Amino acid sequence: MPPSGSDIRRQFIDFFANRCDHTSVPSSPVIPHDDPTLLFTNAGMNQFKDVFLAQGTRPYNRAVDTQKCIRAGGKHNDLEDVGRDTYHHTFFEMLGNWSFGDYFKAEAIEWAWELFTEVWGLDKSRLYVTVFEGDENDGLDADIEAENLWKEKTDIDPSHITRWGRKDNFWEMGETGPCGPCSEIHYDCTPDKSGGHLVNLDDPNVIELWNLVFIQFNRGDDGKLTPLPNQHVDTGMGLERIVRVLQNKTSNYDTDLWTPIFNSIQEITGANAYQGSDKDPIDIAYRVIADHIRCLTVALADGGRPGAAGREFVLRRILRRAARHAHQTLGVDGPMLYKLVPSIVDTLGDTFQEIAKYSAHIAEVIKDEEESFLKTLDRGLELFDKAVINGDGKTIDAKTAFTLHDTFGFPIDLTEVMAEERNLVVDRDGYEKLMEVARETSRATSSTDQKMQLPPDVLASLQTLQVHPTKDGDKYLRRSGRAQIKAIWNGRELTDIANDLCVHGIILDHTPFYADAGGQVGDTGHLITDHHTGELRNGGSQFNVLETHKCGDYVLHIGRVVNGELRCDDQVTATVHNGNRIATEANHTSTHLLNHALRTILGEDVQQKGSLVDHDKLRFDFSHTHAMTDEEIEFVQQLVNKSINADSIVNAQEVSLEKATEIYGVRAVFGEQYPDPVRVVSIGATVNELLKNPTNKDWYNCSVEFCGGTHLPSCAAAGQFVIIHEQSLASGVRRILALTGVAAEAAYEAGGALLERISKASKLSGDALLQEFNALSQLVDELTLSQPNRHAAKHALTLLHEKAKSARKKAASSRKDGVLEQAKIIAERDEVIVVAAIDGGDKETLLSALDAVRSKRKGGAVMLFTAHKDDGKVTIVAGVDKQLIAKGLKAGDWVREAAQVCGGGGGGRPDTAQAGGKDPEKIPDAMVAARQFAEKATV
């Protein structure tokens, strides 16, 4: 019976760990949080990149692992091929062994052959090897050394060794950096062993299994190669491919790595069983859905998330491709991808335990994304069908493709797949033009803050000038320190002098300033020359530090000269603004307490997604699918304040990563990689106490995190904690904004006072109630309050609003009665032209009064004025009968004349009109002017 996929993975690692004395290391996250140059981890060497670049070391010089990899964007992108054939994947495992300056070609070749032919028993006659043929442009000869080693160390058929060029057999990390020749091992899967001539021709029956890379050169900026002082080995073998060969299958998808997922798809959808066809739409859907759910599950377990940009958008594309097949090809109604997560746990959970640990969270995120896309999927498919019917029979027009993307969430590659299924193409050029217009519009309506940074060439110049990295070990001590200015950057170039003409960045040999990192803002303060106390004296110079940033290994103090000038090599006293630092530390320590409290109240699935800590506030983003209730927020606040009131100890210490990860309940940012040793911050117990008994479950009651930031020595200095906002940030991500200290106390007091005032207002009536209700409605949005208090106040105001509406109706009814009573008296005047003022009216009651007077004074003209008590404005209405209109008096002209006297304007029809004014004191003058105007017009 052939070995299982799990057996093969284990046999590979055991071979190198036991037989060849390698250290078995865990896979790095597939989301490379610490490497912005990568969308996803796409090769086993990614986690050792710093070693190859001579920027880092490991406590071992031989390593073996299985690395989670995703190739679904950028240079390495297999996304569009998944489903179309039977061997491409977005997610795969890369089995690999490494030597860091230890063994080289001979051992790598000998061990590879031993594993293949002796441990796994592969047919030697089916194995083919390629070596580098050399390159004239680089001045490189053929890799005769590797070729001879294959002949000397193995019994491979020499005719199965072929030479290939730089494209196939020379590996490079990038345009510059470590590189070297490689030797690939291929396997002939053809039934009659006739595939030797198909090596390196991308034939599915003759596949590359293992690539042995021999890193022995460095390519400089000038493109030239120089030998490395230390030579390395980097090998990679796709698990899915070797499992296919060892299980004697014709496709990667026919192995036991996939059958459990296919079985789940069939059980959930009721589709026909998978047959392995590369043409049947059902089988294509099986492969797409199975591959994509594996990829999504692994990525989300490592801290990824579907979203609108970058790698997040790639994950959203992957999910929507799979959802479209589930819905359209397999006929599934509603979300179903999330139901497949348990099958991924079954196949990968033992090896990558984070998948099992976060499975509930992963399924929830996928379900939310599916539901969101399904809301627009049918309408998008309908638009696509219309474009097919109304098109030219060859092309999906650019506008349709853009609308599908912009309105219905269809990634362009999904539209292209759908078009290909109909033997059509998408007008991609036109689509890209529309996208660029949209991007330009977006850029024109948004702006981003740019912080001063040192470009790569400046960092290189600093190293050339032998400016050593900034020593910042004093950043945790809250004290001033003497330092020497080593470099000055003016935003354009390195200079010798900093003056008051522009913002400068200053690099010191060592600093007490904390540079922004991990969500904590950098310190502010000042640099002063010529005085050891840090106080400015006559003749000294002062530089105010407004921001502090980390640029490579340097700390950049950004600010302005406020007195004198500073020069390179000057001695300065560097002083941190302790007020801001302590407030920032209070917010940072409270952020850790908040993180712990959220997990206690909402559950272990809560994961930190980001944070911002400064001296004013703290902001915390976390994974959670629904808005928190006021009760949950209250409980979280209570837990945080309990630690503050208890003055829980805050302790930090650097610990080896291995020991740190053993501490029960320790938390880290989801999917992040940490240095070794790592700084552990514990609240509620000292780090030494944790290390003495790391598995003690009591530590779950403590906050224990990996963190490089600054903190309070104990919690009481935080004073008080209050959450002022909890809101949605993105699908499945919530954001909390909170305050500590005096600001938190003020928010609590303001909330209590507001609720008490609302309670008192409920006992008012009439105009007093209305005035207080209006004032409170404005106040609840202006005050900084805890979110539960804000919600409680709004709820109380809702109840008060009902009472206020009733009071308003009574007041309006009473006001109308009063106005109509006045109108009745006015109507009794024996005048053709009536001009009068009414007390306590408004626009509506004044119009009613106008109708009442005119009904009694047929054939005349009436103008009424009223002054509003609430806003101090004037309303004027007028009505003129036909007889007077015929004489020349028009209501629109009449009210306009009166309104101008009151500082306003208006107009209307000849028979009725209305106007407004701003000055009630002018009403008597306006009435005189109105009467004169009317009398003159009707003479």
Side-chain angles (χ1 to χ4, degrees):
M1 184 174 180
S4 68
S6 296
D7 289 339
I8 294 167
R9 181 194 295 115
R10 179 180 50 78
Q11 289 164 2
F12 178 88
I13 292 173
D14 287 350
F15 175 81
F16 282 99
N18 300 330
R19 163 72 175 84
C20 310
D21 197 27
H22 286 55
T23 298
S24 177
V25 298
S27 170
S28 63
V30 80
I31 304 295
H33 299 274
D34 58 346
D35 190 345
T37 66
L38 281 176
L39 272 177
F40 301 101
T41 300
N42 57 27
M45 57 72 57
N46 291 156
Q47 69 167 307
F48 303 117
K49 189 175 177 180
D50 61 322
V51 179
F52 296 139
L53 291 170
Q55 296 175 348
T57 60
R58 297 292 186 274
Y60 45 81
N61 52 23
R62 297 182 181 186
V64 61
D65 81 344
T66 178
Q67 172 63 51
K68 298 171 291 186
C69 297
I70 290 179
R71 291 186 178 175
K75 179 181 177 183
H76 301 288
N77 185 3
D78 292 336
L79 177 58
E80 295 179 9
D81 294 317
V82 172
R84 296 176 178 176
D85 58 39
T86 60
Y87 53 91
H88 274 99
H89 311 291
T90 52
F91 165 78
F92 63 96
E93 290 182 59
M94 182 76 82
L95 303 172
N97 60 287
W98 288 269
S99 165
F100 308 123
D102 187 15
Y103 64 83
F104 202 44
K105 295 180 184 179
E107 294 88 343
I109 289 171
E110 186 174 2
W111 289 335
W113 191 255
E114 180 182 342
L115 178 61
F116 266 1
T117 62
E118 295 181 26
V119 177
W120 284 335
L122 290 181
D123 185 347
K124 298 175 185 178
S125 65
R126 291 184 177 274
L127 292 170
Y128 290 79
V129 166
T130 64
V131 296
F132 181 51
E133 71 176 8
D135 188 286
E136 289 186 6
N137 293 331
D138 281 333
L140 293 177
D141 295 327
D143 192 359
I144 302 296
E145 179 187 8
E147 183 173 332
N148 287 337
L149 285 168
W150 278 110
K151 295 174 182 178
E152 296 166 5
K153 297 288 185 179
T154 78
D155 55 352
I156 189 172
D157 182 343
S159 68
H160 286 200
I161 303 173
T162 54
R163 297 180 183 180
W164 294 79
R166 180 173 164 181
K167 175 179 177 292
D168 295 296
N169 278 78
F170 194 86
W171 178 89
E172 302 197 53
M173 182 180 292
E175 293 183 3
T176 61
C179 54
C182 60
S183 188
E184 297 174 344
I185 308 173
H186 298 251
Y187 192 79
D188 179 3
C189 300
T190 59
D192 57 358
K193 304 182 183 180
S194 62
H197 65 290
L198 298 174
V199 168
N200 265 346
L201 297 183
D202 291 328
D203 190 285
N205 292 312
V206 180
I207 57 175
E208 174 199 335
L209 289 182
W210 205 348
N211 189 12
L212 314 180
V213 178
F214 309 122
I215 303 174
Q216 60 188 99
F217 300 107
N218 183 71
R219 190 178 294 279
D221 292 333
D222 58 1
K224 294 181 179 179
L225 297 176
T226 55
L228 287 171
N230 293 312
Q231 298 173 328
H232 311 293
V233 172
D234 165 16
T235 85
M237 171 166 48
L239 174 68
E240 290 75 9
R241 293 189 178 189
I242 189 62
V243 172
R244 166 194 166 180
V245 169
L246 291 176
Q247 292 184 358
N248 196 28
K249 301 296 184 181
T250 58
S251 161
N252 295 0
Y253 288 96
D254 293 336
T255 68
D256 68 344
L257 297 175
W258 300 92
T259 48
I261 310 173
F262 287 165
N263 290 339
S264 293
I265 293 173
Q266 184 181 18
E267 181 181 342
I268 292 168
T269 66
N272 293 331
Y274 177 72
Q275 299 298 318
S277 167
D278 60 357
K279 302 295 183 186
D280 182 11
I282 299 296
D283 285 350
I284 291 173
Y286 264 100
R287 289 192 292 272
V288 170
I289 293 171
D291 171 88
H292 289 7
I293 192 62
R294 278 212 326 166
C295 181
L296 289 165
T297 300
V298 171
L300 267 61
D302 279 344
R305 173 167 293 279
R311 66 171 64 103
E312 293 185 351
F313 182 61
V314 175
L315 293 177
R316 177 165 284 170
R317 287 167 56 200
I318 290 170
L319 187 146
R320 293 184 173 184
R321 284 168 64 98
R324 199 272 300 193
H325 270 295
H327 183 77
Q328 188 178 32
T329 310
L330 301 186
V332 177
D333 290 328
M336 65 80 65
L337 298 179
Y338 76 98
K339 298 177 183 178
L340 297 173
V341 172
S343 67
I344 310 304
V345 174
D346 291 342
T347 54
L348 295 176
D350 287 342
T351 304
F352 308 114
Q353 295 179 7
E354 62 276 9
I355 294 174
K357 183 177 181 180
Y358 301 121
S359 59
H361 164 75
I362 293 165
E364 199 167 25
V365 171
I366 291 174
K367 184 181 180 182
D368 285 348
E369 276 286 319
E370 282 188 273
E371 289 176 336
S372 176
F373 182 47
L374 291 175
K375 290 175 183 177
T376 61
L377 177 58
D378 283 330
R379 285 184 293 153
L381 293 173
E382 183 180 341
L383 174 65
F384 182 84
D385 288 339
K386 286 182 179 177
V388 172
I389 294 169
N390 300 326
D392 59 7
K394 298 178 181 178
T395 308
I396 298 297
D397 64 280
K399 183 178 180 182
T400 296
F402 177 78
T403 303
L404 284 170
H405 165 82
D406 191 56
T407 304
F408 299 106
F410 282 49
I412 184 61
D413 57 316
L414 175 56
T415 303
E416 288 180 322
V417 168
M418 292 163 54
E420 185 179 337
E421 292 171 353
R422 305 285 189 97
N423 295 316
L424 302 171
V425 295
V426 175
D427 178 6
R428 186 67 181 255
D429 290 342
Y431 165 83
E432 293 296 348
K433 289 177 182 177
L434 292 175
M435 283 295 294
E436 186 55 34
V437 170
R439 292 186 194 105
E440 288 294 337
T441 302
S442 177
R443 284 192 285 267
T445 56
S446 66
S447 62
T448 57
D449 294 328
Q450 297 293 323
K451 67 181 183 182
M452 179 181 279
Q453 283 286 8
L454 298 177
D457 60 323
V458 175
L459 289 171
S461 296
L462 290 171
Q463 294 171 2
T464 302
L465 295 169
Q466 296 187 330
V467 176
H468 298 297
T470 310
K471 296 178 181 178
D472 63 351
D474 289 345
K475 63 188 176 186
Y476 298 115
L477 302 180
R478 292 189 196 166
R479 68 186 185 193
S480 299
R482 294 287 290 171
Q484 184 179 44
I485 297 175
K486 306 302 292 185
I488 299 172
W489 169 248
N490 64 11
R492 300 179 305 278
E493 60 186 355
L494 294 172
T495 182
D496 292 329
I497 300 175
N499 50 38
D500 61 0
L501 298 179
C502 67
V503 173
H504 288 82
I506 292 181
I507 296 174
L508 305 175
D509 58 349
H510 56 269
T511 181
F513 282 73
Y514 178 88
D516 61 343
Q520 180 178 332
V521 300
D523 281 331
T524 59
H526 54 257
L527 311 178
I528 294 178
T529 64
D530 293 338
H531 206 278
H532 288 271
T533 64
E535 297 175 358
L536 189 66
R537 70 177 188 183
N538 292 336
S541 301
Q542 179 170 336
F543 178 88
N544 283 354
V545 179
L546 306 176
E547 301 174 22
T548 310
H549 297 310
K550 195 73 179 285
C551 301
D553 292 328
Y554 302 100
V555 174
L556 195 64
H557 306 76
I558 300 167
R560 285 186 174 276
V561 173
V562 294
N563 190 66
E565 62 184 24
L566 279 74
R567 295 174 176 269
C568 286
D569 296 327
D570 277 356
Q571 294 289 327
V572 298
T573 298
T575 303
V576 173
H577 187 297
N578 265 342
N580 285 354
R581 162 68 81 86
I582 293 170
T584 300
E585 289 178 349
N587 286 330
H588 200 162
T589 299
S590 296
T591 300
H592 283 220
L593 295 173
L594 170 62
N595 190 5
H596 186 263
L598 285 170
R599 296 197 313 276
T600 302
I601 300 301
L602 302 182
E604 277 297 300
D605 285 344
V606 168
Q607 296 292 335
Q608 180 175 342
K609 306 303 292 184
S611 66
L612 174 67
V613 178
D614 60 26
H615 67 278
D616 289 324
K617 63 187 177 302
L618 66 93
R619 193 180 73 202
F620 189 77
D621 303 336
F622 61 100
S623 59
H624 195 54
T625 56
H626 308 292
M628 293 176 66
T629 65
D630 286 343
E631 185 179 41
E632 288 171 337
I633 293 174
E634 287 280 13
F635 284 153
V636 167
Q637 289 180 160
Q638 289 170 14
L639 285 178
V640 174
N641 283 312
K642 181 179 179 181
S643 293
I644 292 173
N645 295 333
D647 196 17
S648 297
I649 187 173
V650 182
N651 182 244
Q653 184 177 319
E654 282 198 346
V655 181
S656 74
L657 190 58
E658 181 181 1
K659 288 184 178 180
T661 54
E662 293 174 354
I663 299 172
Y664 187 83
V666 68
R667 302 295 290 193
V669 176
F670 200 25
E672 185 65 274
Q673 271 195 297
Y674 288 89
D676 191 2
V678 65
R679 190 165 182 266
V680 177
V681 175
S682 171
I683 303 177
T686 67
V687 176
N688 281 333
E689 287 174 325
L690 302 178
L691 294 174
K692 287 178 183 177
N693 188 8
T695 59
N696 186 346
K697 294 188 177 180
D698 287 344
W699 302 144
Y700 183 80
N701 298 319
C702 301
S703 166
V704 187
E705 295 191 31
F706 297 163
C707 177
T710 66
H711 287 272
L712 299 171
S714 64
C715 292
Q720 197 162 16
F721 172 86
V722 60
I723 294 173
I724 59 173
H725 287 296
E726 190 276 345
Q727 62 197 55
S728 174
L729 179 63
S731 176
V733 180
R734 308 293 301 177
R735 168 169 286 178
I736 279 176
L737 191 66
L739 305 174
T740 61
V742 174
E745 292 170 6
Y748 266 118
E749 291 173 3
L754 180 63
L755 289 170
E756 184 178 354
R757 184 171 167 183
I758 293 173
S759 177
K760 290 180 179 178
S762 65
K763 298 170 184 166
L764 300 175
S765 60
D767 287 343
L769 172 61
L770 292 173
Q771 289 176 7
E772 184 68 348
F773 173 78
N774 290 335
L776 289 169
S777 297
Q778 183 175 353
L779 201 58
V780 75
D781 291 322
E782 292 177 350
L783 291 175
T784 298
L785 308 169
S786 75
Q787 182 147 314
N789 276 350
R790 186 182 305 282
H791 287 172
K794 287 190 173 183
H795 177 69
L797 282 174
T798 300
L799 300 177
L800 193 63
H801 182 235
E802 296 301 317
K803 187 175 181 181
K805 280 200 303 184
S806 176
R808 190 178 289 116
K809 285 182 180 179
K810 289 180 181 178
S813 177
S814 175
R815 187 163 55 247
K816 185 175 182 180
D817 290 344
V819 168
L820 291 178
E821 187 63 31
Q822 294 177 67
K824 184 177 179 181
I825 295 171
I826 292 170
E828 292 175 355
R829 295 181 185 178
D830 187 17
E831 298 173 333
V832 175
I833 297 172
V834 176
V835 178
I838 287 182
D839 293 331
D842 56 22
K843 181 180 175 181
E844 291 183 7
T845 57
L846 203 62
L847 287 170
S848 296
L850 178 67
D851 291 340
V853 174
R854 292 185 69 193
S855 67
K856 297 289 186 179
R857 307 299 304 169
K858 301 289 185 181
V862 180
M863 178 177 287
L864 301 177
F865 292 76
T866 193
H868 298 250
K869 291 183 178 180
D870 54 353
D871 59 10
K873 292 183 179 180
V874 177
T875 294
I876 308 168
V877 296
V880 181
D881 279 358
K882 293 180 181 178
Q883 297 92 322
L884 295 183
I885 292 174
K887 288 186 175 183
L889 178 61
K890 297 178 181 179
D893 297 336
W894 195 18
V895 295
R896 188 178 299 112
E897 185 73 17
Q900 287 175 354
V901 178
C902 295
R909 301 195 311 265
D911 59 336
T912 57
Q914 53 189 288
K918 300 176 182 177
D919 190 351
E921 294 182 1
K922 295 290 186 179
I923 288 178
D925 295 339
M927 292 174 64
V928 171
R931 182 174 292 280
Q932 291 174 349
F933 182 89
E935 289 173 349
K936 183 177 180 181
T938 55
V939 171

